[in-house]
Amino acid sequence: MTVKISDYTLDLQRLMQQAGFSSLKALSQTTGVSELDLIRLRRGLALQMRADTLIKISQGLKISITELLATFAPGSVELPQESASAEIAEEYDRLQTQMQQQRETLIQEFQQQTLQILESWMLQWPTAASKAQENPQLSAVKLLPLLRPIEQLLREWGVEAIATVGTSIPYNPQFHQLMEGTAQSGEPVKVRYTGYRQGDKLLHRAKVSPITSKVPET
């Protein structure tokens, strides 16, 4: 009794050519699969090979594992029909469009909520700034209440100041940035510009200067 051995040499050569391989040796070196395994594939023994070996070959040939098995082990799998592929592509496009629309809706809602919080500032700040330019004697303290909407917005977003400007605090290089001089961790420094963090995320380090202690005169 003669055992018929399948021969998929032409199929393998076609796929190799499409993927840019000129020989079994080149395909073997790229995929890390032995030439013996490639010969076994060519002889129709794909179903007797390890799954990871078949995956490496399919990746090297730049085809799916389904297409690989459909070529070298006909009947073991079914390739998706063109109509099914078209339906999948259509569904993918629909989901992409839906996601884009949802994203745009979320952005619009976010912008609308932000504008509502800043509404009083947007309406009053330009006038207040204009009056301040016309009257340099106008106390800046009177302008501070107009900044409350911005402070409210920062609170809504969970943004908080690291330290208050002008205060003396222990130096922490994780949260503070020296503007001049040097300081060791824990030494007192003065806050020149406040920093910000949002939850556990550091947004900006507070800018500080070392406090030089005066040596008493003798």
Side-chain angles (χ1 to χ4, degrees):
M1 181 178 179
T2 303
V3 178
K4 182 178 179 181
I5 300 177
S6 301
D7 187 356
Y8 297 98
T9 300
L10 295 179
D11 295 298
L12 183 57
Q13 288 177 346
R14 173 179 56 82
L15 292 173
M16 287 171 55
Q17 185 177 8
Q18 291 177 358
F21 294 104
S22 58
S23 65
L24 287 181
K25 183 177 181 180
L27 179 59
S28 173
Q29 291 176 342
T30 299
T31 60
V33 174
S34 68
E35 291 187 45
L36 179 59
D37 278 330
L38 295 175
I39 293 174
R40 295 179 65 199
L41 178 72
R42 187 179 64 187
R43 291 182 177 178
L45 303 177
L47 298 181
Q48 300 177 25
M49 298 171 61
R50 292 168 54 93
D52 59 335
T53 300
L54 294 174
I55 291 174
K56 290 178 181 178
I57 297 174
S58 68
Q59 292 174 341
L61 294 175
K62 301 177 183 178
I63 60 175
S64 67
I65 186 68
T66 302
E67 186 176 350
L68 182 76
L69 291 174
T71 301
F72 297 98
S76 60
V77 295
E78 291 185 4
L79 289 173
Q81 300 296 322
E82 290 186 5
S83 58
S85 299
E87 290 177 2
I88 293 174
E90 183 178 348
E91 178 66 12
Y92 174 80
D93 292 338
R94 186 187 69 80
L95 290 175
Q96 286 288 97
T97 302
Q98 182 178 355
M99 290 176 62
Q100 180 64 25
Q101 291 174 345
Q102 290 176 346
R103 179 177 179 274
E104 292 176 356
T105 300
L106 289 173
I107 291 175
Q108 291 175 358
E109 290 178 355
F110 169 77
Q111 292 175 344
Q112 189 64 33
Q113 291 174 358
T114 302
L115 291 174
Q116 288 176 355
I117 295 175
L118 295 178
E119 181 178 1
S120 62
W121 175 83
M122 293 169 64
L123 295 175
Q124 300 180 46
W125 180 256
T127 300
S130 176
K131 289 183 177 180
Q133 291 177 343
E134 294 173 359
N135 182 12
Q137 304 302 320
L138 181 65
S139 175
V141 175
K142 296 181 179 180
L143 300 179
L144 293 180
L146 298 180
L147 299 179
R148 287 173 184 167
I150 298 179
E151 295 173 351
Q152 179 187 349
L153 179 63
L154 294 179
R155 285 196 300 271
E156 293 279 345
W157 290 350
V159 178
E160 57 182 351
I162 291 176
T164 304
V165 174
T167 58
S168 175
I169 57 176
Y171 177 60
N172 184 339
Q174 181 179 358
F175 299 111
H176 307 147
Q177 177 184 346
L178 283 170
M179 296 183 65
E180 58 190 6
T182 59
Q184 298 297 320
S185 181
E187 291 182 349
V189 291
K190 184 176 182 179
V191 179
R192 303 279 295 278
Y193 295 90
T194 191
Y196 293 95
R197 59 186 174 188
Q198 188 177 31
D200 296 332
K201 182 180 180 181
L202 177 65
L203 300 178
H204 301 283
R205 287 183 172 86
K207 294 184 178 182
V208 299
S209 296
I211 297 177
T212 305
S213 57
K214 294 183 180 180
V215 179
E217 297 180 359
T218 57

